[in-house]
Amino acid sequence: MCGINGIFGLESIEDPKGVIQSMNAKLAHRGPDNNGIYTDDFVALGHRRLSIIDTSDASNQPYYSTDGNLVFIFNGEVYNFEELREEIGSDYNFSTSSDTEVVLAAYAKWGLNFLSKLNGMFSLAIWDKTKKQIIIARDRLGIKPLYYSETDDSFIFSSELRSLLESGLIKRKLDRNNLIEYLRYQTVHSPRTLIENVHSIPAGHYLVLNDNERILNKYWEISEPQSFGNLKDEIQVKTKIKSLLKSSVNYRMKADVPYGAFLSGGIDSSAIVGLMSEDSEMPVSTFSVVFNEREFSEAPYAELIAKKFKTNHHEILLTADDFLKEIPNALKSMDFPSGDGPNTYLVSKVTKASGITMALSGLGGDELFAGYPIFKRSMQLSQNMWLKSFAGVFRNAAGSMLKAFKPSVASYKMADVLGQEYIDLPHSYSVNRKVLFDKEINSLLTYSEKMANPLLSHCKALDISGDKNSLEVISKVSIMEITTYMQNTLLRDSDQMSMAHALEVRVPFLDHRLVEYALMLDDKIKYPHTPKRLLVESLGDLLPDEIVNRPKMGFTFPWESWMKGELKEYCEAHLINLGKRDCFNSQGVSSLWNRFLKGDKLISWSRVWHLIVLENWLEANGIDS
């Protein structure tokens, strides 16, 4: 795992090497093991290395092809590099045992088709001196970030927004249209960001740049139907799922450094730890966050799994005082603001301090195997499409009655769904994922913009409701979850919070082979009559009943009590500063905070916290709002 920087088009830049050096310095936390730079008359490339596979200096980057024509920088891991190396064979004269060299050799052999052969997580850039052309690409699931901006003369890219800003080539200006999206969903969805004229390369895409053209192409489509033979036989399906997940875990245990796993005691992390233990000759190192507040603590479940698989288990006891001390550091590590993240920051910190450089995570299991309530709600909606036959005035009336007799966030969201012009999956999903409603957003802002909804547009654009695609409801929700909340919140947070400590996190559930297979299965097989039934039954007796049937708690902190107690002063200070910004209405911000303090059921902690995070990020990065 590393960090990459680059500039294509140097004519108007006085000291390209100095700019790249400054950008590299901003990524030092991502790669403490080496600092590499390449410059010529056309490009400047930078790399910060965290050594995981082939830790020798021979694999430092930028990496050069044997003929010297190709220059390569790479952030991430390609897990099937050994198989690819065999397939390339004598066509390339290998000098290291790294995946880096194999990826470059794959491009030299197959051209742009090499991307479809890679199994891994990555963002990369390849400079071809002969063609005067640079190729920039991002992995299929968007596990690794890659941001860019264009000026009149240059194309600048980086693993982090902060490094782009450090170049001095980009204005530190808040994008007010995208601010609305952040307030609504506690994130901004790719390819947009919160900074004007800064974008991210979409997952599964590559960009070709030369003096004459800028071509952005998609090399992998998540909703593209795949052929896997018999998908109706449950026994065969379960055997295949276990085989794919076991292969994925085995791939992700390849490392030349000490590694471990995050363990919450839930189904997903427990499954990963169990499969790791089957393949490891040594006890797996596991790490869990525990609390004194018993209603939030998952310690008993994590301990049960640790004992079953005889892991080297580490408990991280967290108190409000501990967290208060860490908040400035956690928020300082946020390259992109988010309503989530500090969880991963703290467990990553302790994991790294224990001598671990790479850890596996259960992230992605909920999205693939219907672990969220929205899956069942969406199924219920699809079975009640008769609601569409009622005129809008009657549906609005029903929604108003629901809000009046049962006031809650869930009731307001249902009323919002009923009030939509269309009652379908894209509309209901975009409502269910809201953190703040448009009425609340309007009260927070001093400017009035047409409140377009890019997430809704994205879900419609997937065209997964059309006749050409035979995917069923649960798979459609999975695709929406994966391409929105997971990619733009969970994966982004996992990357920035773990890399703050130079810890690599790998996600076995997001092996594209497993994703493609799971999405082709019908609702009858995947419906979660019991928690993640298909996954659990595919694993046989790997998981004990106490884990399978335990209450779902999620990996979270007791935020509400902390924000009203130990963190109250901190929160208020940031909200006051946010209210002083030109684009925010101080009275609206204050009103939202007071409603939370008074226990308003419609204002949970998550509907306030992302405002506090936003103010911290704006101030830390000097963003003009």
Side-chain angles (χ1 to χ4, degrees), residues 1-213:
M1 195 69 64
C2 310
I4 63 174
N5 292 304
I7 305 172
F8 175 65
L10 308 180
E11 293 85 353
S12 62
I13 301 175
E14 183 176 341
D15 181 17
K17 185 174 182 179
V19 173
I20 286 292
Q21 183 60 63
S22 296
M23 294 174 72
N24 267 13
K26 205 67 176 177
L27 295 184
H29 55 282
R30 298 185 69 94
D33 297 327
N34 189 67
N35 176 30
I37 291 176
Y38 168 84
T39 60
D40 60 22
D41 292 338
F42 304 94
V43 301
L45 303 175
H47 185 267
R48 295 295 311 219
R49 185 184 183 196
L50 175 63
S51 304
I52 302 289
I53 295 175
D54 188 349
T55 59
S56 70
D57 290 346
S59 294
N60 286 340
Q61 300 176 41
Y63 196 86
Y64 306 90
S65 58
T66 51
D67 62 4
N69 182 56
L70 301 176
V71 187
F72 181 42
I73 51 176
F74 171 48
N75 167 33
E77 305 288 350
V78 169
Y79 306 117
N80 63 333
F81 71 98
E82 293 173 332
E83 292 93 324
L84 290 176
R85 181 176 178 134
E86 288 186 13
E87 188 175 352
I88 294 167
S90 60
D91 290 348
Y92 192 93
N93 184 23
F94 291 97
S95 60
T96 74
S97 58
S98 70
D99 59 335
T100 300
E101 186 176 26
V102 172
V103 175
L104 187 59
Y107 172 74
K109 181 176 177 65
W110 294 300
L112 287 171
N113 291 329
F114 84 113
L115 290 166
S116 64
K117 290 180 172 289
L118 306 183
N119 183 334
M121 55 179 186
F122 55 83
S123 59
L124 58 81
I126 301 174
W127 168 240
D128 189 316
K129 298 179 185 179
T130 301
K131 295 180 178 179
K132 302 294 187 292
Q133 177 173 279
I134 190 166
I135 310 296
I136 301 169
R138 193 175 177 203
D139 66 72
R140 293 174 178 85
L141 275 304
I143 302 170
K144 291 292 101 187
L146 189 57
Y147 302 100
Y148 71 92
S149 183
E150 292 188 73
T151 66
D152 292 338
D153 303 308
S154 303
F155 182 95
I156 311 107
F157 63 92
S158 177
S159 295
E160 293 193 1
L161 293 173
R162 290 174 295 191
S163 184
L164 280 181
L165 295 174
E166 190 68 16
S167 71
L169 304 174
I170 299 166
K171 294 181 180 179
R172 297 174 183 259
K173 180 70 174 177
L174 178 70
D175 189 314
R176 291 194 173 191
N177 286 327
N178 294 342
L179 172 62
I180 293 172
E181 185 177 10
Y182 176 84
L183 297 177
R184 186 185 278 137
Y185 293 113
Q186 72 174 357
T187 191
V188 177
H189 299 87
S190 179
R192 295 169 300 281
T193 73
L194 273 170
I195 303 174
E196 285 188 359
N197 196 36
V198 175
H199 316 279
S200 67
I201 301 289
H205 282 68
Y206 67 85
L207 188 63
V208 179
L209 302 100
N210 55 46
D211 285 341
N212 300 316
E213 58 186 0

Side-chain angles (χ1 to χ4, degrees), residues 537-554:
E537 293 180 3
S538 297
L539 296 173
D541 61 357
L542 183 72
L543 302 180
D545 290 340
E546 297 93 326
I547 298 300
V548 174
N549 297 313
R550 55 163 284 194
K552 184 174 177 61
M553 300 170 67

Side-chain angles (χ1 to χ4, degrees), residues 366-377:
D366 283 319
E367 289 77 8
L368 275 189
F369 295 101
Y372 295 132
I374 195 170
F375 285 92
K376 286 188 174 181
R377 289 201 299 266

Side-chain angles (χ1 to χ4, degrees), residues 319-337:
T319 66
D321 287 340
D322 295 331
F323 190 63
L324 180 59
K325 293 175 183 176
E326 289 292 349
I327 273 188
N329 293 326
L331 296 188
K332 183 180 178 181
S333 300
M334 276 196 176
D335 179 57
F336 202 116

Side-chain angles (χ1 to χ4, degrees), residues 298-319:
E298 299 180 297
Y301 304 106
E303 185 178 354
L304 189 155
I305 291 297
K307 287 182 178 179
K308 176 178 174 62
F309 297 111
K310 299 180 174 59
T311 72
N312 180 19
H313 191 53
H314 303 75
E315 287 191 346
I316 307 161
L317 177 62
L318 190 67
T319 66

Side-chain angles (χ1 to χ4, degrees), residues 184-185 372 413 429-435 481 485:
R184 186 185 278 137
Y185 293 113
Y372 295 132
K413 287 184 176 181
Y429 181 85
S430 67
V431 169
N432 273 292
R433 271 295 173 199
K434 284 183 178 179
V435 177
E481 284 289 310
Y485 176 64

